[in-house]
Amino acid sequence: MSLTDVSADTTPFFSDDNEGEGPTDNGVGSPQPEEEESASGVSDRRAKVIVVVLCYINLLNYMDRFTVAGVLPDIEQFFSISDGKSGLLQTVFICSYMILAPLFGYLGDRYNRKYIMCVGIFFWSLVTLASSFIGKEHFWALLLTRGLVGVGEASYSTIAPTIIADLFVKEMRTNMLSIFYFAIPVGSGLGYIVGSKVNDVAGDWHWALRVTPSLGLLAVILLFFVVQEPKRGAIEARPEHTLHRTSWMTDIKALCRNPSFVLSTFGFTTVAFVTGSLALWAPAFLFRAGVFTGEKQPCLKAPCDNSDSVLFGIITVVTGILGVTSGVQVSKKLRTRTPRADPLVCAAGLLLAAPFLYLSIMFAQASTVATYVFIFLGETFLSMNWAVVADILLYVVIPTRRSTAEAFQIVLSHLLGDAVSPYLIGVVRPSHNCTEKVFQSSF
């Protein structure tokens, strides 16, 4: 790829170890890692500290997103709403998130990413705090605030991975991305755990929504004083001044002609569909399964029994660590045999997850333990995708289009994935008689 060719956007499909990161020289005179890292304008030690800060914010991001799921039975009881309406809480958030992602992707490719994230996270923290003071006659206000939370999260999720891409290359980048994406399952699990435990202690689900805002303000401080904006593409021997910026429409057209990016995005959409519905409804489903088997009493008065949220949160944390780690390690080993290692690992993870998630539903009527075991296995294989898919995007898209590519992937994967799946699961009751009884028996 010519460095001056603005239409070229990708390296060969899931290419070799060079991964489109600029020319390499395997001779004696090849640059040392210290020299490569200094090209970004950020020292090696500072770069690693920046990843820690970004990982903390990503963890907080997902923790906030799934706090609501951890106290969902209490919210339904408080507002006297159906499954369909409670499913809207996730759908409204995701819709706002995906609509605004292209805007922040555009801004992230052209302006200072650090300041964009600071403003977005500060706004998200204020809106989340405001949502914790809503009364029972104003469910619409909770929907509105959850939608506004998407503004802040879109400003972060489209930009943060591109900063990591401008700090590291090759295997070091993969390792740092795996650390960054640990925060997705770990943060999600903490959301269930913290939400349910704070609700138990306070006796009011509103307090569960007041934990992340204070942590969000700390995140803004860390971003402002610790994170340093790296030079785009410099670490890859492709500095910004050799990569001309193009219009947004030109960027989108180039991405649509990039088969590696398009196919990996469609594959990730299936992950988003499954994880979106699983994340919101799994604790409620497990609770109702317990009611059906006689292990639990129906929730007639708040606070409800949220022990399933805690257990599901723990499972999500553990399976996330296992899945992300195994996905990255298997991919590394497989790359020595085939340049298509990354897509093969992602496909294998999805194929292995499907039967275990199906069995978790079928066994809910007979054994809660078996249901948890199958969910554990299914989530582990699903989590193999997170870091690998992110790495694919970063090495098949040039630096000046990466935020736009992140935004494009967010829009498509959420539009066809977890923007619709939580609502559909809430509206479409299962036709299987026994499963239907599980869902009805807690009312």
Side-chain angles (χ1 to χ4, degrees):
M1 181 182 73
S2 172
L3 295 180
T4 58
D5 181 4
V6 298
S7 63
D9 192 68
T10 181
T11 56
F13 193 17
F14 304 127
S15 58
D16 59 18
D17 232 2
N18 293 334
E19 295 177 354
E21 293 169 344
T24 58
D25 181 7
N26 294 326
V28 176
S30 61
Q32 297 302 312
E34 291 78 12
E35 295 175 2
E36 289 184 326
E37 290 162 355
S38 64
S40 67
V42 182
S43 67
D44 178 53
R45 179 178 298 179
R46 183 73 170 268
K48 291 176 180 176
V49 172
I50 290 173
V51 171
V52 172
V53 173
L54 295 178
C55 186
Y56 163 72
I57 300 173
N58 202 32
L59 184 145
L60 189 62
N61 179 354
Y62 281 88
M63 180 177 164
D64 174 79
R65 188 182 300 189
F66 292 105
T67 297
V68 169
V71 294
L72 192 61
D74 294 87
I75 293 176
E76 288 185 331
Q77 197 277 335
F78 181 81
F79 289 105
S80 299
I81 56 175
S82 64
D83 285 347
K85 286 187 176 181
S86 59
L88 281 174
L89 289 170
Q90 185 77 345
T91 297
V92 167
F93 162 76
I94 293 297
C95 287
S96 169
Y97 177 54
M98 70 179 185
I99 289 171
L100 290 163
L103 170 62
F104 288 108
Y106 175 87
L107 296 174
D109 278 335
R110 289 158 178 82
Y111 302 100
N112 189 291
R113 293 168 286 187
K114 167 181 168 178
Y115 296 137
I116 294 172
M117 290 190 293
C118 284
V119 173
I121 293 170
F122 181 74
F123 179 78
W124 146 47
S125 300
L126 290 181
V127 171
T128 301
L129 181 62
S131 69
S132 69
F133 295 97
I134 294 173
K136 62 174 58 181
E137 269 100 47
H138 302 96
F139 178 68
W140 62 269
L142 183 62
L143 287 176
L144 175 63
T145 54
R146 291 311 294 173
L148 292 175
V149 166
V151 177
E153 295 206 16
S155 70
Y156 178 78
S157 298
T158 57
I159 293 175
T162 68
I163 291 179
I164 296 177
D166 287 332
L167 293 171
F168 304 97
V169 292
K170 301 181 182 177
E171 285 196 4
M172 180 60 75
R173 176 190 289 175
T174 302
N175 292 336
M176 291 301 169
L177 283 173
S178 66
I179 294 172
F180 180 77
Y181 283 102
F182 274 141
I184 294 181
V186 174
S188 302
L190 287 176
Y192 295 115
I193 296 168
V194 172
S196 60
K197 285 301 181 184
V198 170
N199 179 44
D200 290 342
V201 172
D204 183 356
W205 64 269
H206 290 87
W207 283 97
L209 300 182
R210 295 168 188 167
V211 176
T212 53
S214 58
L215 298 175
L217 295 177
L218 174 61
V220 173
I221 295 172
L222 290 173
L223 262 179
F224 190 82
F225 290 104
V226 176
V227 173
Q228 180 180 339
E229 178 85 0
K231 298 175 183 178
R232 287 181 175 87
I235 195 70
E236 303 169 49
R238 298 190 303 184
E240 279 185 275
H241 68 271
T242 65
L243 290 168
H244 302 289
R245 287 192 177 88
T246 53
S247 68
W248 185 79
M249 282 304 300
T250 301
D251 291 347
I252 294 297
K253 289 178 182 178
L255 291 171
C256 289
R257 293 194 298 266
N258 183 335
S260 306
F261 170 75
V262 172
L263 292 173
S264 62
T265 296
F266 276 116
F268 186 67
T269 300
T270 63
V271 179
F273 188 96
V274 175
T275 55
S277 55
L278 186 67
L280 185 68
W281 289 114
F285 175 78
L286 291 165
F287 170 75
R288 294 171 186 181
V291 173
F292 176 77
T293 58
E295 298 173 7
K296 298 181 183 295
Q297 294 299 316
C299 179
L300 303 176
K301 183 179 179 181
C304 301
D305 182 352
N306 290 309
S307 59
D308 288 301
S309 294
V310 175
L311 289 173
F312 184 73
I314 295 172
I315 287 175
T316 301
V317 171
V318 175
T319 57
I321 294 173
L322 291 176
V324 171
T325 303
S326 60
V328 169
Q329 294 305 317
V330 171
S331 177
K332 282 182 180 180
K333 292 185 181 299
L334 200 57
R335 282 178 189 175
T336 61
R337 300 184 180 182
T338 172
R340 299 174 62 84
D342 288 351
L344 289 175
V345 168
C346 292
L350 288 174
L351 289 173
L352 290 169
F356 290 118
L357 293 176
Y358 175 78
L359 288 172
S360 70
I361 298 173
M362 293 297 100
F363 272 80
Q365 60 180 308
S367 171
T368 303
V369 174
T371 301
Y372 273 114
V373 170
F374 289 129
I375 287 177
F376 182 95
L377 294 171
E379 280 204 308
T380 298
F381 290 119
L382 271 180
S383 296
M384 293 176 68
N385 281 261
W386 293 115
V388 179
V389 169
D391 202 16
I392 289 172
L393 182 149
L394 294 173
Y395 66 64
V396 301
V397 177
I398 60 174
T400 52
R401 288 182 181 142
R402 283 173 180 160
S403 291
T404 299
E406 291 280 355
F408 187 98
Q409 188 171 87
I410 286 172
V411 170
L412 189 62
S413 62
H414 290 314
L415 179 65
L416 302 178
D418 54 355
V420 294
S421 61
Y423 178 71
L424 289 176
I425 296 299
V427 171
V428 182
R429 295 289 186 97
S431 59
H432 191 282
N433 290 335
C434 192
T435 310
E436 176 72 12
K437 290 179 182 178
V438 170
F439 273 82
Q440 289 179 344
S441 59
S442 61
F443 296 101

